[in-house]
Amino acid sequence: MNRERLEVRRVKAKRALSYQKKQILLCAGTGCIAGGSLKLYDYFKEECARRGLDVYVGLTQEGETEDVTEPKGDGVYLKKSGCHGFCEMGPLVQIEPEGILYTHVQLEDCDEIIEKTILKGEVVERLLYELDGVKYSKHSDIPFYHRQHRIVLENCGTTDAEDIDEYLAKDGYAAFEKALFEMTDEAICQEIMDSGLRGRGGGGFPAGRKWDSVRKQPKGKKYVVCNGDEGDPGAFMDRSIMEGNPHSIIEGMLIAAVAAGSDEGYIYVRAEYPLAVARLKTAIARAEEMGLLGDNILGTQFSFRLHVNRGAGAFVCGEGSALTASIEGNRGMPRVKPPRTVEHGLWAQPTILNNVETFSAVPLIIRKGSAWFKSIGTEKSPGTKAFALTGNVVNTGLIEVPMGTTLREIIFDIGGGIKDGKQFKAVQIGGPSGGCLTEEHLDMPVDFDSLKKLGAMIGSGGLVVMDEDTCMVEVARFFMNFTQNESCGKCVPCREGTRRMLEILTRIVNNEGSLEDLDLLEELAATISETALCGLGQSACKPVQSTLKYFRDEYLAHVVDKHCPHCNGRKKVLQIDAELCKGCGKCMKQCPMEAITGQIRMPHVIDTDKCIKCGACWGCCPFGAIREE
């Protein structure tokens, strides 16, 4: 495959895509698959064929390698898309070109969709999303989507995630061609620097500076590594991109490889993401077949091979040096820095290491230009950011907004406000490494620098919303328990300090603490933050520090009054009544802490150690099976 033949294939793919007058897109992200979307796919395929409709399932038909089918007639084009983001409304079915979005679709609804929408062009009213008495037929009109700005997530939910020709039809790999044939390595790095792109994994380090540092290292073996080890509780941004738009990651890594002079790369994905792993491997195989990966790519001297490495789920492996150690087959533990990863990374070689969302933004920047990217977001934090919005909010799911969007816009305009008409209390931003923000921060712009001033951080992008009934001391205890369990144990401050803090928080939550414990918590938090070896330990105390700052009265209620109005210590826990539970899985999808487990149609169970009693499961259970004990 050379550049000319690739362009021919792209043109044919665009023409084939333009023929698709009627499309049925079924969300095939992890959440909707758990709700049965693959069964819907099979049923639509069989039933449409039974009714005499031509059914197409891809731009490239089986047995074809170079050509792209140009089907004739008015058939139905059936697709498994990536995550639409509106996870609590799944399984989701979108009908194009009308842009109709159907929610909570079950097998028994498929015949009506075919009969009314596919054959007659009518809308099935009962399957539409409804808010405040208004039903929305168009996907783009739903407030959850209307107020977003999706660029990295644009193809997620609108494209067949496993079809490389559909990616080509939407200008996929055009940025890589531009970088390979029309730009120097220095020009690529300069374009990324000019764009102001900062790492979306949490640190916010300028991506272009990192790339340029690797480029300037002496010639020799260099690596490009993608961090897909997303471990924050309630976060699933990277997973959705890997599942729904894997070729954007590959293209971003190819561009980085051209810039750095690398011929080999790794995508590190936690083993708990089997669908992401499968789709990445499929995408890599398709790219290899087309000559976009491998030796002498597009007839040039440039070669690049890409591997998928599965991690065992250790949170600390999200840290760069621990991640590279894990790929090497060693225990995932951070090392002292400097030297940095750009000088001494994978197998002691210079390495570009960015996360999934960062690499996915790169093709757009190269194709549309740095000025376009800088026009979105804020001056020092350009572009957009994907967030996983969970907790006590009406609309939970995956969103993407410009940097600088306020918390109020995210929680109340996109998220629909707090469930059951309750009052907003706090939002935990940045997962275990972040901090809690309160009502006074709702109009603050969400960007790297603004959050840092408040002692919080974006992290990978988890947003857990809490209402008036949440005990903030228990929230701090939960996150400290998570961090303590995930500590690799290499350095004393993190290994022993977080253990002591967890013991103190447990005493306080059980109404057995003292005023001296509060002073000790603050002292330990300051010491650990200043002396821990890596980012995990250095940020582990942020949830405790922020809750002590903004909700000190709740700590005092536990240690002075010996009674918390929100949780009454640890005596009350949420449980699932096995006799009432039907195993629908709604509570498991809603839980921001992944505290609920169980199989479909079997009673589910709540892990009380993980549960923060946010009430998300309580509010969504249609059978009243959640009770407090």
Side-chain angles (χ1 to χ4, degrees):
M1 176 74 75
N2 56 30
R3 192 180 187 186
E4 290 73 23
R5 291 172 69 186
L6 181 62
E7 182 58 26
V8 169
R9 183 154 182 162
R10 180 179 288 112
V11 170
K12 288 184 177 181
K14 287 185 176 185
R15 188 159 61 243
L17 188 61
S18 71
Y19 291 150
Q20 298 189 357
K21 304 302 182 185
K22 185 69 70 174
Q23 302 174 36
I24 304 177
L25 294 101
L26 290 98
C27 178
T30 294
C32 283
I33 286 177
S37 65
L38 295 185
K39 293 180 180 178
L40 301 180
Y41 178 89
D42 292 337
Y43 188 87
F44 274 118
K45 185 177 180 181
E46 294 170 4
E47 186 60 20
C48 286
R50 191 187 69 78
R51 291 172 181 251
L53 296 170
D54 292 327
V55 181
Y56 302 94
V57 294
L59 294 184
T60 304
Q61 299 300 307
E62 186 176 354
E64 296 179 352
T65 56
E66 291 291 326
D67 200 9
V68 177
T69 299
E70 299 176 1
K72 302 183 182 300
D74 297 322
V76 177
Y77 297 83
L78 195 59
K79 301 181 183 182
K80 298 176 188 175
S81 75
C83 177
H84 287 242
F86 214 1
C87 303
E88 70 169 306
M89 291 292 140
L92 296 167
V93 175
Q94 188 165 325
I95 310 297
E96 294 293 351
E98 295 87 350
I100 299 169
L101 182 68
Y102 290 133
T103 62
H104 298 308
V105 180
Q106 302 299 315
L107 276 174
E108 53 267 27
D109 302 318
C110 295
D111 287 325
E112 190 173 2
I113 292 173
I114 296 172
E115 185 66 32
K116 286 189 174 181
T117 307
I118 303 302
L119 296 177
K120 299 180 180 179
E122 301 173 359
V123 176
V124 183
E125 295 278 340
R126 63 183 181 82
L127 296 176
L128 298 177
Y129 174 73
E130 184 175 353
L131 178 65
D132 297 329
V134 179
K135 288 188 175 182
Y136 296 88
S137 60
K138 296 250 182 219
H139 163 274
S140 57
D141 292 338
I142 297 173
F144 179 82
Y145 292 107
H146 181 67
R147 298 177 184 272
Q148 294 186 46
H149 188 164
R150 295 165 75 92
I151 58 174
V152 171
L153 298 178
E154 183 179 8
N155 287 344
C156 295
T158 62
T159 303
D160 187 332
E162 297 184 352
D163 192 339
I164 190 171
D165 282 297
E166 191 155 353
Y167 184 71
L168 286 173
K170 296 186 177 183
D171 292 317
Y173 291 105
F176 167 58
E177 289 181 69
K178 180 180 178 181
L180 183 61
F181 291 101
E182 301 171 23
M183 301 176 74
T184 64
D185 53 0
E186 184 177 2
I188 296 170
C189 292
Q190 189 62 53
E191 189 77 359
I192 300 301
M193 283 192 280
D194 290 344
S195 74
L197 175 66
R198 298 172 66 172
R200 271 22 181 188
F205 188 84
R209 282 174 52 192
K210 182 182 292 187
W211 290 24
D212 203 45
S213 296
V214 175
R215 181 186 72 84
K216 291 177 178 177
Q217 296 297 315
K219 290 188 180 297
K221 188 72 173 181
K222 298 176 183 179
Y223 292 96
V224 177
V225 176
C226 178
N227 183 353
D229 189 63
E230 183 177 52
D232 290 6
F236 54 98
M237 297 74 58
D238 290 349
R239 186 192 75 191
S240 295
I241 297 171
M242 289 186 285
E243 292 176 357
N245 198 15
H247 285 286
S248 67
I249 306 164
I250 297 171
E251 186 175 9
M253 295 181 72
L254 278 165
I255 293 168
V258 173
S262 169
D263 65 355
E264 191 169 9
Y266 287 82
I267 305 176
Y268 187 87
V269 190
R270 54 182 41 225
E272 294 95 327
Y273 287 177
L275 183 59
V277 170
R279 288 193 176 156
L280 283 169
K281 287 185 174 181
T282 297
I284 289 171
R286 298 290 181 273
E288 288 174 342
E289 291 169 5
M290 199 173 287
L292 291 166
L293 285 174
D295 296 327
N296 303 120
I297 295 173
L298 298 181
T300 69
Q301 296 299 309
F302 174 67
S303 301
F304 187 70
R305 296 197 173 275
L306 191 55
H307 317 280
V308 175
N309 188 285
R310 287 185 290 179
F315 183 68
V316 74
C317 286
E319 194 274 341
S321 59
L323 184 152
T324 54
S326 180
I327 293 177
E328 293 167 1
N330 300 315
R331 181 178 175 185
M333 300 177 77
R335 58 170 173 77
V336 176
K337 293 175 279 293
R340 301 288 178 182
T341 306
V342 295
E343 305 158 346
H344 185 98
L346 186 61
W347 282 296
Q349 302 301 321
T351 302
I352 288 178
L353 174 59
N354 285 118
N355 89 321
V356 166
E357 190 178 347
T358 310
F359 278 123
S360 293
V362 167
L364 295 166
I365 294 171
I366 296 297
R367 182 156 53 89
K368 296 186 177 185
S370 57
W372 164 81
F373 191 76
K374 288 206 75 170
S375 70
I376 307 168
T378 66
E379 181 182 356
K380 294 185 178 180
S381 296
T384 61
K385 180 71 186 79
F387 291 97
L389 187 60
T390 59
N392 300 122
V393 65
V394 174
N395 298 325
T396 61
L398 185 67
I399 68 171
E400 185 179 358
V401 294
M403 285 285 196
T405 302
T406 65
L407 285 170
R408 189 182 301 279
E409 291 174 281
I410 292 172
I411 296 169
F412 290 91
D413 294 341
I414 297 174
I418 309 304
K419 281 185 176 180
D420 303 321
K422 294 186 177 181
Q423 294 296 309
F424 168 80
K425 186 172 188 177
V427 57
Q428 172 73 14
I429 184 167
S433 301
C436 287
L437 301 178
T438 66
E439 189 171 4
E440 67 179 277
H441 305 118
L442 284 175
D443 294 311
M444 180 206 72
V446 177
D447 59 57
F448 291 109
D449 301 318
S450 298
L451 289 176
K452 188 175 181 180
K453 292 176 183 177
L454 296 172
M457 63 187 297
I458 286 180
S460 61
L463 280 172
V464 183
V465 180
M466 290 161 275
D467 66 18
E468 59 193 89
D469 296 329
T470 306
C471 173
M472 302 308 296
V473 186
E474 171 58 22
V475 170
R477 188 209 66 83
F478 165 79
F479 282 112
M480 184 54 65
N481 180 64
F482 177 88
T483 304
Q484 209 287 314
N485 286 336
E486 293 293 339
S487 173
C488 74
K490 185 172 184 177
C491 72
V492 173
C494 184
R495 182 182 70 239
E496 299 300 328
T498 57
R499 186 186 301 275
R500 298 288 85 78
M501 290 186 73
L502 178 60
E503 291 171 354
I504 295 169
L505 287 166
T506 302
R507 283 204 307 270
I508 293 174
V509 170
N510 287 331
N511 298 327
E512 297 169 356
S514 65
L515 288 172
E516 289 76 15
D517 283 333
L518 304 188
D519 295 332
L520 185 54
L521 277 177
E522 291 180 323
E523 184 180 341
L524 282 169
T527 302
I528 295 168
S529 299
E530 293 174 3
T531 59
L533 176 61
C534 78
L536 183 148
Q538 292 164 8
S539 60
C541 306
K542 287 184 182 294
V544 179
Q545 291 170 313
S546 60
T547 52
L548 274 169
K549 180 178 180 179
Y550 298 118
F551 299 97
R552 197 175 189 88
D553 58 322
E554 296 193 19
Y555 282 87
L556 293 174
H558 277 286
V559 301
V560 176
D561 301 334
K562 304 298 181 183
H563 171 78
C564 174
H566 304 293
C567 68
N568 192 23
R570 294 275 293 168
K571 295 179 182 178
K572 291 186 178 181
V573 296
L574 292 178
Q575 297 285 1
I576 298 178
D577 189 327
E579 294 184 2
L580 295 177
C581 178
K582 305 300 182 185
C584 69
K586 288 185 178 180
C587 60
M588 189 161 57
K589 293 181 191 177
Q590 288 297 308
C591 180
M593 302 306 170
E594 300 180 352
I596 302 176
T597 56
Q599 298 180 346
I600 297 297
R601 298 187 181 86
M602 296 292 289
H604 287 32
V605 178
I606 296 176
D607 185 335
T608 55
D609 287 334
K610 292 183 178 180
C611 176
I612 61 171
K613 297 186 283 296
C614 66
C617 59
W618 193 319
C620 74
C621 179
F623 309 107
I626 313 292
R627 65 174 188 269
E628 192 174 47
E629 293 186 347

